[in-house]
Amino acid sequence: MNKRKLHKKRIFILLSSLVVLIGAVVRTNASKANTSPIRMDEKYPLVEIIHTTDKEKGITIDYPFFHLEEVDQAIETYLKETITPCTNKEQLIVTYEIVHYSQQTVSIIFTEKNKEKSFNHMVTIDLANGKIIRLDDLFKNESDYLSLLSDIAYNELKNKEDILLSNKELAEAAAPTEDRFQEFTLLNKAIIFYLTVGDQMADTQLIISKELLKDMLEDKYISVELNKDRIEDINPPNMITELPKKDIQIAPDQKVIALTFDDGPKKGTTDSILKALRKYDAHATFFVLGSMAEKNPELLRDMVEQGNDVGSHTWDHRLMTKLSEEEMIKQINQTNSLIKEMTGKEATLFRPPYGAYDQRVTSHLGKNTDVILWDVDPEDWKYRNKDHIVQSVLNQAGDGKIILMHDIYKTSAEAAVEIMEKLTAQGYKIVSVSELQEIQKQRELAS
């Protein structure tokens, strides 16, 4: 055989081999995708959409294909382990949305739908190693990140108007467990945690600034540059940039009681109560009148500096349910503005004069504002007798109770000093209302 014929034969063999190889690849991809014309993701054009159908199992799945071997394998494995075939012969349709795609990570929400329900679940993948990131991968081993996330979640859920849960249900929804915070997205400046409360994953997002978590986060996930989205950065609203009040350390079996004082502040009486609170390492809640606070700004600042709560008791003690809409709004807003101006803090506690309120009143309070009434009323405004007030409070005192008093009467202030002494001797920790709420939350978590 001459050299020219031999050369032609080799070329023919080579071309035949390439045709076979290409055909095998096409068949493999066709089998893998089951197959449909190539489609690309609308938001991220470099990402291919794989469409598969399994008629026997009743499943149709769309999922992203990144042309990154380890990443694509991680997604396929995740779907195989996560998607459950329909048992009632109804078609299950699985779709996806890439919510964030950066140089470092990609976060994908998969939605499973059938005739009866729709369910979302998320996966975040480290693109460098093709591994799904779990919560404990994000944080340093020695950090108490679960407690911090739980505190933030509880505080946020409690203040969501569209989530109506009891304290126990709130505690369960924000429980410090890995599974509660397992679905998340790493943004450039924040981390979004998708909490499942019922089936409302999309409506219960916890958007926490990385600055708050930087001491706990693994160094490699702090980067802003690596987590910038490839197309357009998300600028989430309502990013949490401040931590909730630090948990107070109370032994589970220690009794707690909250002292509250209305109608002040007033020189000569309020300051003597503040002095006694310092002495007994105690906190209280002062429901101030705007008209009185305006005259005594230094007392208001002292309250806050000592760690006490300052709540609103309206501007001048009007019966709110009898006021016009305009008068009601003025009573609330004027007092709240004054408290914020003098203390730098929002008033998140409100006590209506005479305990009278209705839906009209609450509709004008801030969404983070709690209406606080009382459990024990010694009627100190009526009985201006120190011994009578002290005995009345002690007779009705109990763990977790809220005591109503007034810091504008000399007899009430004197009684408050003695009450603190006697309650402390009986093993009570005297706390503010916000501290009492936090303690109740901790007890719910522990139960």
Side-chain angles (χ1 to χ4, degrees):
M1 185 180 293
N2 61 35
K3 290 184 177 179
R4 178 174 289 183
K5 286 184 178 179
L6 181 61
H7 182 65
K8 286 182 177 179
K9 185 175 182 180
R10 286 174 176 170
I11 290 175
F12 177 77
I13 292 170
L14 178 61
L15 288 173
S16 299
S17 299
L18 285 173
V19 169
V20 171
L21 179 62
I22 291 169
V25 171
V26 170
R27 284 193 300 275
T28 300
N29 283 340
S31 174
K32 180 179 181 181
N34 200 29
T35 183
S36 58
I38 293 176
R39 290 186 297 139
M40 308 306 287
D41 189 278
E42 291 183 3
K43 185 176 179 183
Y44 298 97
L46 294 177
V47 180
E48 185 180 341
I49 301 172
I50 299 296
H51 177 82
T52 66
T53 300
D54 189 325
K55 292 182 179 179
E56 289 185 9
K57 294 182 179 178
I59 301 176
T60 298
I61 304 177
D62 281 356
Y63 65 93
F65 190 72
F66 293 87
H67 296 277
L68 299 170
E69 184 177 355
E70 291 181 327
V71 174
D72 295 329
Q73 184 58 53
I75 292 172
E76 290 183 12
T77 301
Y78 172 79
L79 289 172
K80 286 177 183 176
E81 294 175 350
T82 305
I83 305 301
T84 304
C86 291
T87 56
N88 55 4
K89 295 185 179 181
E90 285 189 2
Q91 185 73 9
L92 176 67
I93 299 173
V94 181
T95 57
Y96 80 90
E97 178 190 2
I98 300 174
V99 294
H100 190 66
Y101 184 16
S102 70
Q103 189 176 336
Q104 187 174 41
T105 65
V106 62
S107 293
I108 309 159
I109 290 180
F110 290 99
T111 301
E112 299 181 36
K113 294 180 181 178
N114 59 27
K115 286 184 179 180
E116 295 180 355
K117 65 177 182 178
S118 176
F119 174 72
N120 294 331
H121 48 98
M122 166 171 277
V123 63
T124 293
I125 301 172
D126 188 315
L127 296 172
N129 57 31
K131 291 185 177 180
I132 293 174
I133 309 172
R134 294 183 55 80
L135 187 67
D136 56 2
D137 296 323
L138 275 184
F139 294 95
K140 296 174 182 175
N141 290 336
E142 66 276 11
S143 62
D144 189 16
Y145 59 89
L146 281 174
S147 293
L148 178 62
L149 294 177
S150 176
D151 287 344
I152 295 173
Y154 183 91
N155 190 61
E156 289 298 305
L157 292 174
K158 175 177 174 290
N159 294 322
K160 271 186 171 287
E161 292 180 341
D162 57 337
I163 296 180
L164 303 175
L165 300 175
S166 66
N167 282 341
K168 185 173 184 179
E169 290 170 327
L170 281 173
E172 289 174 355
T177 58
E178 294 278 338
D179 62 302
R180 290 294 185 193
F181 303 94
Q182 203 60 258
E183 296 179 328
F184 54 83
T185 298
L186 275 168
L187 304 184
N188 57 342
K189 296 180 181 178
I191 301 177
I192 303 179
F193 293 92
Y194 299 82
L195 303 186
T196 301
V197 181
D199 292 325
Q200 305 176 56
M201 187 178 100
D203 296 330
T204 50
Q205 297 180 5
L206 202 64
I207 307 167
I208 307 177
S209 167
K210 283 185 179 178
E211 278 295 308
L212 292 186
L213 305 171
K214 65 181 181 181
D215 292 335
M216 295 184 174
L217 281 175
E218 288 287 352
D219 293 341
K220 71 176 188 175
Y221 292 123
I222 293 175
S223 172
V224 171
E225 289 301 316
L226 289 179
N227 285 290
K228 285 185 176 179
D229 191 82
R230 292 171 185 258
I231 305 299
E232 183 179 4
D233 268 327
I234 300 172
N235 293 309
N238 305 319
M239 184 164 69
I240 300 165
T241 57
E242 293 183 6
L243 296 175
K245 281 189 176 182
K246 188 177 179 181
D247 291 352
I248 63 171
Q249 300 302 313
I250 300 288
D253 57 347
Q254 182 168 7
K255 298 180 294 184
V256 291
I257 198 164
L259 288 180
T260 66
F261 298 93
D262 290 5
D263 295 356
K266 182 181 178 183
K267 288 180 181 177
T269 49
T270 303
D271 36 11
S272 67
I273 293 171
L274 288 171
K275 182 179 178 181
L277 288 168
R278 289 194 298 272
K279 178 179 178 180
Y280 294 104
D281 189 25
H283 294 143
T285 301
F286 294 86
F287 289 101
V288 302
L289 294 176
S291 57
M292 294 292 285
E294 189 177 40
K295 301 172 187 175
N296 301 287
E298 70 287 348
L299 288 175
L300 216 62
R301 286 190 283 269
D302 286 346
M303 292 171 187
V304 172
E305 286 174 7
Q306 284 187 212
N308 301 293
D309 289 340
V310 175
S312 169
H313 198 42
T314 73
W315 185 260
D316 55 5
H317 211 276
R318 306 282 294 281
L319 182 60
M320 297 291 280
T321 52
K322 298 297 184 182
L323 297 182
S324 68
E325 210 79 9
E326 183 180 354
E327 290 174 316
M328 185 188 299
I329 292 171
K330 184 177 180 182
Q331 287 284 326
I332 294 169
N333 291 351
Q334 193 173 352
T335 307
N336 286 347
S337 296
L338 184 73
I339 291 172
K340 178 67 183 294
E341 180 185 342
M342 290 183 175
T343 68
K345 294 182 178 294
E346 303 281 353
T348 59
L349 303 174
F350 175 77
R351 175 170 284 167
Y354 313 104
Y357 70 101
D358 53 23
Q359 191 276 332
R360 277 200 321 135
V361 176
T362 56
S363 69
H364 295 299
L365 301 176
K367 67 176 184 178
N368 298 332
T369 303
D370 290 332
V371 176
I372 305 298
L373 298 181
W374 55 85
D375 302 303
V376 177
D377 179 7
E379 296 187 308
D380 59 324
W381 58 272
K382 179 178 179 182
Y383 299 101
R384 308 289 179 85
N385 179 288
K386 184 197 76 167
D387 293 336
H388 177 90
I389 298 166
V390 170
Q391 199 56 50
S392 178
V393 169
L394 295 178
N395 287 342
Q396 301 177 71
D399 183 35
K401 289 192 173 183
I402 298 175
I403 298 171
L404 164 64
M405 295 181 69
H406 300 78
D407 57 329
I408 56 173
Y409 307 118
K410 183 180 179 183
T411 48
S412 297
E414 292 171 346
V417 174
E418 187 170 333
I419 287 167
M420 286 184 226
E421 178 187 3
K422 292 187 180 300
L423 288 177
T424 301
Q426 291 178 16
Y428 283 96
K429 178 69 177 175
I430 300 168
V431 297
S432 65
V433 167
S434 63
E435 288 173 331
L436 180 62
Q437 291 174 328
E438 178 62 26
I439 291 162
Q440 289 169 337
K441 173 208 162 185
Q442 291 178 9
R443 288 178 175 177
E444 291 286 357
L445 287 171
S447 63

